[in-house]
Amino acid sequence: MPRSFLVKTHSSHRVPNYRQLETQREINGACSACRGLVVPLLLPDKAASSTPGDPPRPWDCTSIIARISLPLPRHEEAWGASGPDPLQVGPVHPWAGRAPSVPLKDSLNQLNLPPRLLLPTRWPPIPGPAGDQAADRLPGGAARAPRGPGGFQCPHCRKPYHTLAGLARHRELHCRLRTPRCFPCRHCDKEYSSLGALKMHIRTHTLPCPCAICGKAFSRPWLLRGHIRTHTGEKPYTCSHCSRAFADRSNLRAHLQTHSDTKKYQCKSCAKTFSRMSLLARHAESGCCPGP
DNA sequence: CTGGGGACGGGGCCC
DNA sequence: AGGGCCCCGTCCCCA
Protein backbone atom coordinates (compact mmCIF):
# COMPACT_ATOMS: atom_id res chain seq x y z
CA MET A 1 0.00 0.00 0.00
CA PRO A 2 1.37 3.37 -0.90
CA ARG A 3 2.40 5.55 1.92
CA SER A 4 0.90 8.59 0.36
CA PHE A 5 -1.70 8.65 3.10
CA LEU A 6 1.02 9.83 5.35
CA VAL A 7 1.07 13.12 3.59
CA LYS A 8 -1.12 15.34 5.62
CA THR A 9 -3.75 17.04 3.60
CA HIS A 10 -4.25 19.81 6.10
CA SER A 11 -7.93 19.58 5.55
CA SER A 12 -8.41 22.45 7.92
CA HIS A 13 -6.87 24.63 5.24
CA ARG A 14 -9.64 23.85 2.90
CA VAL A 15 -11.94 25.96 4.95
CA PRO A 16 -10.29 29.20 5.84
CA ASN A 17 -10.06 29.99 9.47
CA TYR A 18 -11.87 33.24 9.23
CA ARG A 19 -11.12 34.21 12.76
CA GLN A 20 -7.48 33.80 12.00
CA LEU A 21 -7.91 35.72 8.82
CA GLU A 22 -9.45 38.47 10.84
CA THR A 23 -6.40 38.44 13.00
CA GLN A 24 -4.19 38.51 9.95
CA ARG A 25 -6.26 41.31 8.64
CA GLU A 26 -5.51 43.23 11.74
CA ILE A 27 -1.87 42.45 11.47
CA ASN A 28 -1.40 42.73 7.77
CA GLY A 29 -4.09 44.97 6.61
CA ALA A 30 -3.81 47.56 9.26
CA CYS A 31 -0.21 47.20 10.08
CA SER A 32 1.36 50.33 11.31
CA ALA A 33 3.49 50.54 8.24
CA CYS A 34 0.59 51.00 5.90
CA ARG A 35 -2.20 51.85 8.25
CA GLY A 36 -4.10 54.74 6.95
CA LEU A 37 -1.55 55.34 4.35
CA VAL A 38 -3.83 57.65 2.56
CA VAL A 39 -5.44 59.42 5.41
CA PRO A 40 -4.03 62.69 4.26
CA LEU A 41 -6.09 62.09 1.17
CA LEU A 42 -9.15 61.80 3.31
CA LEU A 43 -10.44 65.16 3.04
CA PRO A 44 -13.79 65.40 2.95
CA ASP A 45 -16.75 64.33 4.35
CA LYS A 46 -17.89 62.26 1.42
CA ALA A 47 -14.88 60.14 1.61
CA ALA A 48 -15.97 58.83 4.94
CA SER A 49 -19.30 57.57 3.78
CA SER A 50 -19.98 54.10 5.05
CA THR A 51 -23.30 53.16 3.66
CA PRO A 52 -23.53 49.74 2.10
CA GLY A 53 -22.42 49.74 -1.44
CA ASP A 54 -20.21 52.67 -0.98
CA PRO A 55 -16.79 52.48 -2.44
CA PRO A 56 -14.03 51.52 -0.11
CA ARG A 57 -12.96 54.27 2.09
CA PRO A 58 -9.82 56.10 1.29
CA TRP A 59 -8.06 54.34 4.12
CA ASP A 60 -8.93 51.04 2.57
CA CYS A 61 -5.35 49.94 2.64
CA THR A 62 -5.86 46.87 0.51
CA SER A 63 -7.10 48.92 -2.30
CA ILE A 64 -4.05 51.04 -2.03
CA ILE A 65 -1.65 48.19 -1.76
CA ALA A 66 -3.30 46.46 -4.65
CA ARG A 67 -2.96 49.56 -6.68
CA ILE A 68 0.66 49.86 -5.83
CA SER A 69 1.73 46.32 -6.34
CA LEU A 70 -0.60 45.04 -8.99
CA PRO A 71 -1.97 46.19 -12.24
CA LEU A 72 -4.48 48.69 -11.16
CA PRO A 73 -8.21 48.19 -11.37
CA ARG A 74 -10.36 50.19 -13.63
CA HIS A 75 -12.13 52.97 -11.94
CA GLU A 76 -15.54 51.53 -12.57
CA GLU A 77 -14.46 48.11 -11.39
CA ALA A 78 -13.20 49.26 -8.09
CA TRP A 79 -15.57 52.01 -7.29
CA GLY A 80 -18.58 51.52 -9.41
CA ALA A 81 -19.38 53.47 -12.47
CA SER A 82 -20.38 56.52 -10.57
CA GLY A 83 -18.36 56.18 -7.44
CA PRO A 84 -15.64 58.57 -6.64
CA ASP A 85 -12.08 57.50 -6.82
CA PRO A 86 -10.68 58.36 -3.46
CA LEU A 87 -7.27 58.52 -4.94
CA GLN A 88 -8.46 61.43 -6.90
CA VAL A 89 -9.58 63.10 -3.76
CA GLY A 90 -7.23 65.30 -1.89
CA PRO A 91 -4.31 67.44 -2.64
CA VAL A 92 -1.81 64.70 -3.29
CA HIS A 93 -2.23 61.76 -5.55
CA PRO A 94 0.66 59.44 -4.90
CA TRP A 95 -0.21 57.14 -7.73
CA ALA A 96 -0.95 59.71 -10.32
CA GLY A 97 0.05 58.49 -13.72
CA ARG A 98 -0.28 54.83 -12.79
CA ALA A 99 -3.26 54.22 -14.90
CA PRO A 100 -5.28 51.14 -14.12
CA SER A 101 -5.02 48.48 -16.72
CA VAL A 102 -6.74 45.40 -15.39
CA PRO A 103 -9.55 45.02 -12.92
CA LEU A 104 -8.23 44.25 -9.51
CA LYS A 105 -10.03 40.94 -9.29
CA ASP A 106 -8.64 39.94 -12.65
CA SER A 107 -5.22 41.02 -11.59
CA LEU A 108 -5.38 38.76 -8.61
CA ASN A 109 -6.66 35.94 -10.69
CA GLN A 110 -3.78 36.33 -13.05
CA LEU A 111 -1.50 35.74 -10.16
CA ASN A 112 -3.25 32.46 -9.48
CA LEU A 113 -3.11 33.09 -5.78
CA PRO A 114 -4.75 30.71 -3.34
CA PRO A 115 -8.00 32.06 -1.95
CA ARG A 116 -6.53 32.85 1.40
CA LEU A 117 -4.08 35.16 -0.26
CA LEU A 118 -6.64 37.12 -2.09
CA LEU A 119 -7.07 40.51 -0.61
CA PRO A 120 -10.42 41.22 0.91
CA THR A 121 -12.44 43.82 -0.79
CA ARG A 122 -12.15 46.23 2.04
CA TRP A 123 -10.82 46.51 5.52
CA PRO A 124 -12.77 47.81 8.43
CA PRO A 125 -12.20 51.43 9.09
CA ILE A 126 -9.21 52.11 11.23
CA PRO A 127 -10.17 54.00 14.31
CA GLY A 128 -8.23 57.16 14.34
CA PRO A 129 -7.48 59.57 17.09
CA ALA A 130 -10.30 61.70 18.25
CA GLY A 131 -10.80 65.02 16.72
CA ASP A 132 -8.38 66.44 14.28
CA GLN A 133 -5.28 65.14 15.91
CA ALA A 134 -4.88 62.87 12.96
CA ALA A 135 -4.31 65.89 10.89
CA ASP A 136 -1.00 66.38 12.61
CA ARG A 137 0.26 62.93 12.03
CA LEU A 138 0.37 60.61 9.15
CA PRO A 139 -1.05 57.19 9.70
CA GLY A 140 1.12 54.79 11.54
CA GLY A 141 2.86 57.58 13.27
CA ALA A 142 4.63 59.09 10.32
CA ALA A 143 5.40 62.64 11.06
CA ARG A 144 3.77 65.12 8.84
CA ALA A 145 6.67 67.45 8.53
CA PRO A 146 6.43 70.67 6.68
CA ARG A 147 6.51 70.27 2.96
CA GLY A 148 9.86 70.58 1.39
CA PRO A 149 12.96 68.42 1.11
CA GLY A 150 12.52 65.44 3.38
CA GLY A 151 9.12 66.64 4.40
CA PHE A 152 7.83 63.13 5.02
CA GLN A 153 9.66 60.70 7.20
CA CYS A 154 9.19 56.99 7.57
CA PRO A 155 8.42 56.26 11.21
CA HIS A 156 10.19 52.93 10.97
CA CYS A 157 13.50 53.69 9.35
CA ARG A 158 13.47 57.50 9.51
CA LYS A 159 14.14 57.75 5.84
CA PRO A 160 13.03 61.14 4.58
CA TYR A 161 10.92 61.64 1.49
CA HIS A 162 10.06 64.74 -0.37
CA THR A 163 6.61 63.63 -1.28
CA LEU A 164 3.90 61.63 0.32
CA ALA A 165 3.88 59.50 -2.77
CA GLY A 166 7.47 58.52 -2.23
CA LEU A 167 6.83 57.79 1.39
CA ALA A 168 3.77 55.76 0.53
CA ARG A 169 5.68 53.58 -1.91
CA HIS A 170 8.45 53.14 0.61
CA ARG A 171 6.08 52.20 3.41
CA GLU A 172 4.32 49.74 1.22
CA LEU A 173 7.62 47.91 1.16
CA HIS A 174 7.60 47.84 4.95
CA CYS A 175 4.14 46.44 4.86
CA ARG A 176 5.17 43.71 2.45
CA LEU A 177 8.10 42.77 4.58
CA ARG A 178 5.83 42.44 7.56
CA THR A 179 3.29 40.38 5.72
CA PRO A 180 3.82 36.67 6.38
CA ARG A 181 4.76 35.07 3.11
CA CYS A 182 2.79 32.12 1.92
CA PHE A 183 4.12 29.58 -0.53
CA PRO A 184 1.44 27.27 -1.90
CA CYS A 185 2.31 23.92 -3.37
CA ARG A 186 1.23 23.63 -6.99
CA HIS A 187 0.84 19.89 -6.64
CA CYS A 188 -1.52 19.91 -3.69
CA ASP A 189 -3.30 22.35 -1.44
CA LYS A 190 -0.62 22.67 1.17
CA GLU A 191 0.99 25.97 1.94
CA TYR A 192 4.23 26.86 3.62
CA SER A 193 5.60 29.91 5.29
CA SER A 194 9.03 29.63 3.75
CA LEU A 195 10.38 28.76 0.35
CA GLY A 196 12.70 26.23 1.90
CA ALA A 197 9.84 24.40 3.54
CA LEU A 198 7.94 24.43 0.27
CA LYS A 199 10.90 23.05 -1.65
CA MET A 200 11.26 20.33 0.93
CA HIS A 201 7.61 19.49 0.59
CA ILE A 202 7.72 19.45 -3.20
CA ARG A 203 10.27 16.67 -2.93
CA THR A 204 7.50 14.51 -1.53
CA HIS A 205 5.81 14.92 -4.92
CA THR A 206 8.84 14.64 -7.16
CA LEU A 207 10.54 11.89 -5.12
CA PRO A 208 14.01 12.53 -6.48
CA CYS A 209 15.72 9.70 -4.59
CA PRO A 210 14.94 6.34 -6.23
CA CYS A 211 16.13 3.06 -4.78
CA ALA A 212 18.56 1.37 -7.15
CA ILE A 213 17.40 -2.03 -5.98
CA CYS A 214 13.62 -1.90 -6.11
CA GLY A 215 12.98 1.43 -7.78
CA LYS A 216 10.93 2.85 -4.97
CA ALA A 217 11.47 6.58 -4.77
CA PHE A 218 11.85 8.79 -1.76
CA SER A 219 11.76 12.43 -1.02
CA ARG A 220 15.02 12.64 0.83
CA PRO A 221 18.35 10.86 0.65
CA TRP A 222 18.32 9.75 4.24
CA LEU A 223 14.91 8.21 3.74
CA LEU A 224 16.37 6.26 0.86
CA ARG A 225 19.28 5.17 3.00
CA GLY A 226 16.88 3.93 5.64
CA HIS A 227 14.97 2.07 2.98
CA ILE A 228 18.10 0.49 1.56
CA ARG A 229 18.71 -1.03 4.97
CA THR A 230 15.55 -3.03 4.47
CA HIS A 231 17.33 -4.63 1.51
CA THR A 232 20.72 -5.05 3.10
CA GLY A 233 19.50 -6.01 6.53
CA GLU A 234 21.79 -3.51 8.12
CA LYS A 235 20.64 -2.57 11.62
CA PRO A 236 22.95 0.02 13.06
CA TYR A 237 20.83 0.95 16.04
CA THR A 238 21.17 -1.45 18.93
CA CYS A 239 19.18 -1.55 22.13
CA SER A 240 21.44 -1.25 25.14
CA HIS A 241 19.07 -3.36 27.23
CA CYS A 242 18.48 -6.40 25.08
CA SER A 243 20.98 -5.95 22.27
CA ARG A 244 18.21 -6.06 19.74
CA ALA A 245 19.13 -4.13 16.63
CA PHE A 246 17.04 -1.88 14.47
CA ALA A 247 17.43 -0.28 11.13
CA ASP A 248 15.54 2.82 12.15
CA ARG A 249 16.39 5.01 15.08
CA SER A 250 12.76 5.89 15.65
CA ASN A 251 11.95 2.24 15.97
CA LEU A 252 14.72 1.79 18.48
CA ARG A 253 13.31 4.67 20.45
CA ALA A 254 9.90 3.06 20.43
CA HIS A 255 11.48 -0.19 21.44
CA LEU A 256 13.23 1.42 24.37
CA GLN A 257 9.84 2.36 25.69
CA THR A 258 9.07 -1.31 26.10
CA HIS A 259 11.90 -1.51 28.62
CA SER A 260 10.67 1.47 30.52
CA ASP A 261 8.78 0.84 33.72
CA THR A 262 6.77 3.98 33.30
CA LYS A 263 5.18 4.09 29.93
CA LYS A 264 5.00 7.44 28.36
CA TYR A 265 1.33 7.52 27.44
CA GLN A 266 -1.34 7.05 30.06
CA CYS A 267 -5.08 6.52 29.68
CA LYS A 268 -6.98 9.19 31.55
CA SER A 269 -9.80 6.80 32.37
CA CYS A 270 -8.11 3.65 33.57
CA ALA A 271 -4.61 4.99 34.18
CA LYS A 272 -3.18 2.23 32.06
CA THR A 273 0.04 3.25 30.39
CA PHE A 274 1.28 2.57 26.90
CA SER A 275 4.60 2.81 25.21
CA ARG A 276 3.19 4.56 22.16
CA MET A 277 0.57 7.14 21.52
CA SER A 278 -0.90 4.97 18.83
CA LEU A 279 -1.42 2.20 21.35
CA LEU A 280 -3.12 4.60 23.71
CA ALA A 281 -5.29 5.89 20.89
CA ARG A 282 -6.25 2.39 19.93
CA HIS A 283 -7.00 1.63 23.55
CA ALA A 284 -9.26 4.65 23.76
CA GLU A 285 -11.01 3.80 20.54
CA SER A 286 -11.70 0.31 21.80
CA GLY A 287 -14.05 1.76 24.37
CA CYS A 288 -12.13 2.42 27.54
CA CYS A 289 -12.77 6.10 27.32
CA PRO A 290 -16.37 6.56 26.23
CA GLY A 291 -16.93 9.96 24.87
CA PRO A 292 -19.28 12.47 26.44
C1' DC B 1 -7.74 -6.81 21.70
C1' DT B 2 -2.98 -5.76 22.73
C1' DG B 3 1.99 -5.18 22.26
C1' DG B 4 5.51 -4.45 19.41
C1' DG B 5 8.37 -4.27 15.04
C1' DG B 6 8.89 -2.23 10.42
C1' DA B 7 8.66 1.47 7.29
C1' DC B 8 8.17 5.94 6.34
C1' DG B 9 6.87 11.34 6.33
C1' DG B 10 7.37 16.05 8.04
C1' DG B 11 9.25 19.86 10.68
C1' DG B 12 13.06 21.84 12.85
C1' DC B 13 17.82 22.48 13.81
C1' DC B 14 22.60 22.62 12.65
C1' DC B 15 26.47 23.01 9.67
C1' DA C 1 20.47 28.04 0.48
C1' DG C 2 20.76 23.38 0.74
C1' DG C 3 21.81 18.96 2.73
C1' DG C 4 22.20 15.95 6.74
C1' DC C 5 20.40 14.59 10.77
C1' DC C 6 17.24 14.15 14.70
C1' DC C 7 12.92 13.81 16.76
C1' DC C 8 8.24 13.02 16.67
C1' DG C 9 4.61 10.88 14.79
C1' DT C 10 1.72 7.66 11.94
C1' DC C 11 0.20 3.56 9.85
C1' DC C 12 0.50 -1.34 8.62
C1' DC C 13 1.23 -5.80 9.91
C1' DC C 14 1.97 -9.72 12.75
C1' DA C 15 2.34 -12.57 16.94
Side-chain angles (χ1 to χ4, degrees):
Chain A
M1 172 177 288
R3 291 277 177 172
S4 57
F5 58 81
L6 288 174
V7 177
K8 294 177 184 175
T9 57
H10 286 218
S11 57
S12 62
H13 287 184
R14 295 180 194 280
V15 179
N17 183 336
Y18 292 106
R19 185 168 183 82
Q20 186 177 7
L21 288 177
E22 287 296 323
T23 303
Q24 290 178 346
R25 167 183 299 186
E26 291 170 12
I27 296 172
N28 305 335
C31 82
S32 59
C34 66
R35 155 174 287 205
L37 201 84
V38 290
V39 164
L41 304 179
L42 170 63
L43 291 182
D45 14 318
K46 299 184 196 167
S49 167
S50 62
T51 53
D54 278 356
R57 299 181 182 186
W59 56 72
D60 180 334
C61 118
T62 52
S63 300
I64 303 309
I65 294 174
R67 284 165 181 243
I68 295 172
S69 56
L70 299 170
L72 300 176
R74 270 197 294 272
H75 183 172
E76 309 80 31
E77 189 75 17
W79 308 101
S82 59
D85 185 343
L87 295 182
Q88 300 292 352
V89 178
V92 180
H93 184 179
W95 300 276
R98 294 177 163 215
S101 58
V102 184
L104 173 59
K105 191 171 63 175
D106 293 347
S107 302
L108 295 172
N109 289 342
Q110 288 172 7
L111 293 178
N112 196 23
L113 295 172
R116 61 183 297 181
L117 285 185
L118 294 178
L119 296 170
T121 308
R122 63 174 68 182
W123 304 112
I126 298 167
D132 288 332
Q133 293 175 358
D136 297 329
R137 299 203 53 88
L138 293 179
R144 180 198 280 280
R147 298 296 172 83
F152 297 94
Q153 187 181 49
C154 175
H156 301 284
C157 64
R158 307 290 181 192
K159 195 172 181 180
Y161 284 86
H162 293 272
T163 64
L164 178 60
L167 173 61
R169 280 190 293 269
H170 165 76
R171 295 183 67 185
E172 194 269 340
L173 174 63
H174 275 299
C175 189
R176 280 190 187 181
L177 292 176
R178 288 171 173 224
T179 301
R181 302 292 299 275
C182 185
F183 298 90
C185 174
R186 59 179 171 171
H187 302 285
C188 67
D189 60 352
K190 296 185 77 174
E191 300 165 350
Y192 292 86
S193 58
S194 72
L195 186 58
L198 173 62
K199 286 182 177 179
M200 186 64 68
H201 165 74
I202 287 178
R203 296 177 70 108
T204 67
H205 293 293
T206 58
L207 300 177
C209 308
C211 173
I213 301 173
C214 68
K216 184 173 172 61
F218 296 85
S219 59
R220 293 185 244 182
W222 61 268
L223 278 175
L224 171 60
R225 282 195 289 272
H227 165 77
I228 288 178
R229 293 194 198 109
T230 67
H231 293 301
T232 63
E234 181 190 7
K235 295 182 177 180
Y237 305 103
T238 305
C239 174
S240 58
H241 295 81
C242 64
S243 297
R244 179 165 186 152
F246 297 85
D248 187 294
R249 189 192 298 269
S250 291
N251 293 336
L252 169 60
R253 191 166 38 244
H255 167 77
L256 287 173
Q257 275 286 305
T258 68
H259 292 300
S260 175
D261 292 335
T262 56
K263 301 293 193 297
K264 195 175 177 180
Y265 305 97
Q266 185 176 38
C267 175
K268 291 179 180 177
S269 296
C270 66
K272 189 173 181 180
T273 59
F274 299 87
S275 59
R276 302 184 195 185
M277 183 188 294
S278 59
L279 294 177
L280 171 59
R282 200 163 64 183
H283 168 74
E285 289 174 0
S286 67
C288 176
C289 308

